[in-house]
């Protein structure tokens, strides 16, 4: 009951935040040629992988394949606005035209490479349980209630299936330092803040390991 109330309050907040990005789509009326888009996506793939599968290095490059267009667009805009702090992605995204930003947001949706894998296998069952049931004692709602039963996301809720283990751990451990950094311009990252905050490192590792195996 308590968790249910929390989730619906968070969802209401998300819908409100989502409204502000709608104007962005309307501004992007100019066309992007197939050639321009290919040149740009070839560049993205040097880091994010030829099929958008991500790359497991000392700095993990997140998977973009199958990612929800609304979420991709929100993140590119957040990098530009420095609401989400990342120097590399600021440099990549602040030069994009509104039309290119929209085209890139949908480009990766239809790619479906196999997950890269590589996570330890000892806590997959614990991770699945957290994903499906949440952690009631820590007021963490089921991840599935927002990210979907198959973890494929929807609209502004990102796909987590097949996302890189190391990347998800880093994001959940550093949420407060990297996301929602402009307090005068709050965004959807506020929905995840208490969730990331309330999970222990062991719980984060378990749920990230589970998600990284999903197709
Ligand atoms: C030089 C390497 C590099 C290039 C080129 C690059 N990226 Fe990234 N990208 C990154 C890194 C590193 C991150 C992770 C940032 C973080 O840890 O928060 C990232 C994150 C992202 C995210 C957020 C993903 C998520 O799950 O939240 C999106 C969206 C993204 N990049 C899109 C693009 C697009 C589109 C292009 C091409 C126009 C591109 N990137 C080019 C390195 C790169
Ligand atoms: C109330 C809805 C909600 C619940 C419950 C929820 N999330 Fe999220 N999550 C979101 C939203 C919305 C975002 C995107 C935030 C943004 O746009 O900045 C997100 C983003 C994320 C990201 C960042 C993805 C990326 O590519 O960088 C991870 C990882 C994540 N959630 C994991 C989880 C896990 C694990 C759980 C369960 C323990 C969970 N979430 C529960 C709404 C939720």
């Amino acid at each position: 009951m308590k968790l249910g109330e929390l989730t619906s309050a968070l969802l209401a907040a998300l819908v409100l935040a989502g409204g502000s990005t709608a104007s962005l789509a309307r501004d992007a009326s100019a066309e992007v040629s197939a050639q321009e888009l290919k040149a740009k996506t070839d560049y993205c793939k040097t880091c994010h992988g030829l099929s958008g599968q991500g790359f497991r290095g000392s700095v993990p490059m997140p998977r973009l394949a199958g990612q929800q267009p609304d979420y991709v667009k929100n993140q590119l805009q957040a990098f530009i606005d420095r609401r989400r702090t990342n120097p590399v992605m600021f440099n990549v995204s602040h030069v994009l035209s509104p039309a290119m930003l929209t085209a890139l947001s949908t480009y990766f949706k239809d790619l479906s490479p196999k997950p890269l894998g590589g996570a330890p296998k000892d806590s997959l069952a614990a991770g699945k349980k957290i994903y499906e049931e949440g952690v009631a004692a820590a007021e963490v709602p089921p991840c599935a209630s927002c990210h979907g039963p198959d973890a494929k996301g929807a609209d502004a809720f990102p796909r987590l299936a097949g996302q890189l283990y190391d990347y998800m751990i880093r994001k959940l451990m550093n949420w407060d330092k990297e996301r929602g950094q402009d307090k005068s311009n709050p965004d959807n990252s506020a929905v995840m803040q208490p969730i990331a905050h309330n999970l222990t490192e062991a719980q984060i590792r378990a749920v990230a390991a589970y998600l990284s195996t999903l197709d």
Side-chain angles (χ1 to χ4, degrees):
M1 193 61 206
K2 215 171 171 192
L3 283 180
E5 282 164 18
L6 175 69
T7 307
S8 37
L10 291 171
L11 285 175
L14 182 72
V15 171
L16 286 176
S20 62
T21 58
S23 58
L24 230 153
R26 282 197 298 275
D27 295 342
S29 44
E31 289 290 316
V32 170
S33 74
Q35 203 181 2
E36 284 171 309
L37 182 61
K38 184 180 183 301
K40 193 53 95 173
T41 54
D42 282 351
Y43 173 56
C44 311
K45 289 172 182 179
T46 58
C47 287
H48 290 280
L50 285 178
S51 316
Q53 76 275 24
F55 180 78
R56 298 185 67 219
S58 55
V59 175
M61 304 292 166
R63 174 186 171 117
L64 300 178
Q67 190 50 277
Q68 294 294 334
D70 285 357
Y71 174 75
V72 173
K73 191 175 202 172
N74 286 344
Q75 297 314 301
L76 291 173
Q77 193 61 49
F79 289 126
I80 295 170
D81 297 346
R82 298 190 199 260
R83 281 178 280 120
R84 176 170 175 179
T85 51
N86 185 267
V88 174
M89 279 308 299
F90 172 78
N91 287 335
V92 169
S93 52
H94 86 279
V95 298
L96 301 172
S97 68
M100 181 60 86
L101 201 147
T102 301
L104 288 170
S105 300
T106 51
Y107 174 80
F108 293 93
K109 178 78 177 103
D110 297 329
L111 302 179
S112 57
K114 289 267 165 254
L116 288 182
K121 298 200 167 34
D122 52 340
S123 58
L124 297 181
K128 183 177 199 290
K129 191 168 156 59
I130 293 170
Y131 188 77
E132 290 172 355
E133 298 170 21
V135 185
E139 305 231 357
V140 172
C143 319
S145 65
C146 288
H147 292 280
D150 52 5
K152 297 221 163 91
D155 307 320
F157 297 100
R159 175 192 174 113
L160 300 175
Q163 187 51 276
L164 274 61
Y165 173 64
D166 298 342
Y167 169 77
M168 283 188 284
I169 292 171
R170 287 179 183 220
K171 295 308 99 181
L172 293 170
M173 298 291 291
N174 292 304
W175 201 268
D176 285 342
K177 293 184 213 104
E178 295 179 353
R179 316 284 271 245
Q181 296 304 298
D182 181 357
K183 300 300 170 210
S184 64
N185 186 10
D187 59 24
N188 292 347
S189 67
V191 175
M192 267 304 293
Q193 192 279 332
I195 296 167
H197 183 263
N198 289 356
L199 291 169
T200 65
E201 181 170 351
Q203 288 165 340
I204 286 175
R205 289 183 173 275
V207 74
Y210 167 67
L211 288 165
S212 72
T213 64
L214 299 182
D215 232 322

